[in-house]
Amino acid sequence: MRSLSPDTEDPRATCRAGLPDRYLTPEDLVTMFSLPSVETVYQWRRKGIGPAGFRVGRYLRFNPAAVQAWEAERTALDDAT
């Protein structure tokens, strides 16, 4: 294994610094928003009305910051009406 000099930063640490500790699953969104089922999350995605998600292989994941921003936007829209 290659050793890094003390003044060289580990590139993996740089990458991890900007990423959340854990990405959310559709099941997490069901729990967070008390949704009837995971199918609701997938319908939101098909209709383009839910939080932005991305695929990792066959798995759908959500950035917690994107979900929080989407929720704040929805709350602001509801408060404006």
Side-chain angles (χ1 to χ4, degrees):
M1 184 168 164
R2 190 179 84 186
S3 135
L4 296 173
S5 65
D7 61 339
T8 305
E9 190 174 328
D10 181 1
R12 292 172 296 187
T14 302
C15 182
R16 284 191 301 263
L19 297 176
D21 292 336
R22 179 179 171 280
Y23 287 102
L24 301 173
T25 65
E27 291 81 6
D28 292 329
L29 269 59
V30 168
T31 302
M32 289 172 64
F33 297 112
S34 300
L35 300 172
S37 72
V38 174
E39 184 57 33
T40 302
V41 177
Y42 288 105
Q43 287 178 12
W44 285 354
R45 185 166 167 82
R46 281 191 296 274
K47 294 176 182 179
I49 60 174
F54 61 96
R55 291 244 173 230
V56 179
R58 65 181 186 155
Y59 301 102
L60 181 58
R61 295 294 180 258
F62 298 89
N63 186 326
V67 173
Q68 185 176 20
W70 174 81
E71 185 272 333
E73 179 184 328
R74 301 299 301 174
T75 301
L77 289 172
D78 286 347
D79 290 346
T81 58

